[in-house]
Amino acid sequence: DWDDSDAVDDLTDAVLALAADTRSLPSGLGSLPSWLGSLPLGDAEGELRAADELLLPDAPLARILTADSPFGTVAKSVVDRYGASALRAIGVGWGFGVVTDDLPTGPDHDLDDEEDWWASRTDDPAELLAVRDLDLVNDGAWPNAISELASAPATHAAIRSADGYTAWWLRTHAVIDGEPLGSFRAPSDETFAGLLDAFDHPHADDVAPALAPASCDSAWFAQLVLDRLADPARTPTPAVVARAH
């Protein structure tokens, strides 16, 4: 009962005392059930909110999300009392969250445009590992967001599968300098050099599955290659032209 302040305090004390014993993060992060994110915690406005609806005060994610994102900030007094590690272990946000499902049966994980991704596949995924809340990233913050995604082990793992949700969403929705991320090539991929610009980012090769593929795997990408072949400002080599055709 969230209206019973004594009960809330007792429950919070008990859960976070145990959560503080998960010594190693992020491995400890994965050892606790996700429903602990429903634990009520005080936010910076003095209200109670579920733990997984809150960010730590200095979370890098807070600088990336839109101003109207649904996340609040956990009260500093709560952080001082229990420690950031225990709070992160039960779902208080620091970086991007990850959704996992070993036996997914449909697009029912509350992910942005999940139904479109599911429909784009030729078969159902054997498992789901996906970064959530990508649609909440501020349009101008994508370079920083990609750094965060590539740097954290859990989110980096979610990008590695080119046909996974995360790579698909980034390729089709993330916009850099007015262009979809999927229109840029990894610097190490010369397949369409001269037609596609290399992605100028320190983690470009780390997020290669979210960049342009090495073959025309969709009508959208085929159209992009054709448009670039017809662009007189582009100067691909004859080998790239032949390969593109």
Side-chain angles (χ1 to χ4, degrees):
D1 181 1
W2 286 30
D3 293 327
D4 185 340
S5 60
D6 290 337
V8 168
D9 288 344
D10 289 345
L11 179 64
T12 302
D13 284 341
V15 171
L16 288 173
L18 293 170
D21 262 345
T22 58
R23 302 294 183 187
S24 58
L25 291 172
S27 59
L29 196 73
S31 65
L32 297 179
S34 60
W35 46 260
L36 285 176
S38 299
L39 188 73
L41 298 175
D43 69 6
E45 307 298 324
E47 302 292 333
L48 285 179
R49 294 187 63 174
D52 58 10
E53 297 176 359
L54 295 168
L55 302 176
L56 286 164
D58 55 347
L61 191 60
R63 300 189 294 271
I64 293 171
L65 300 183
T66 58
D68 60 350
S69 86
F71 287 98
T73 302
V74 68
K76 185 178 183 299
S77 59
V78 175
V79 181
D80 292 342
R81 182 173 180 178
Y82 299 109
S85 293
L87 294 171
R88 288 182 64 182
I90 65 163
V92 175
W94 175 258
F96 286 98
V98 173
V99 175
T100 59
D101 187 349
D102 292 334
L103 295 170
T105 57
D108 52 6
H109 302 87
D110 197 26
L111 297 166
D112 183 61
D113 278 353
E114 186 182 2
E115 291 186 0
D116 288 347
W117 167 68
W118 204 281
S120 73
R121 299 179 56 89
T122 56
D123 56 357
D124 291 346
E127 61 181 0
L128 178 74
L129 175 62
V131 178
R132 63 183 179 92
D133 302 320
L134 292 172
D135 56 312
L136 300 179
V137 173
N138 189 308
D139 289 343
W142 274 113
N144 290 335
I146 288 169
S147 294
E148 290 295 325
L149 290 166
S151 299
T155 52
H156 189 206
I159 298 174
R160 287 179 190 152
S161 174
D163 63 349
Y165 169 83
T166 306
W168 171 85
W169 195 98
L170 291 171
R171 193 162 51 244
T172 55
H173 292 68
V175 175
I176 304 289
D177 295 331
E179 297 289 341
L181 188 61
S183 66
F184 294 90
R185 62 181 176 85
S188 59
D189 183 3
E190 298 287 329
T191 305
F192 296 110
L195 295 177
L196 305 182
D197 297 325
F199 184 38
D200 184 14
H201 191 281
H203 293 285
D205 283 320
D206 294 328
V207 297
L211 300 174
S215 62
C216 290
D217 62 350
S218 69
W220 175 85
F221 188 67
Q223 184 66 59
L224 174 67
V225 171
L226 288 170
D227 290 343
R228 296 294 176 83
L229 283 167
D231 185 350
R234 301 272 169 180
T235 56
T237 65
V240 169
V241 173
R243 185 158 56 239
H245 278 288

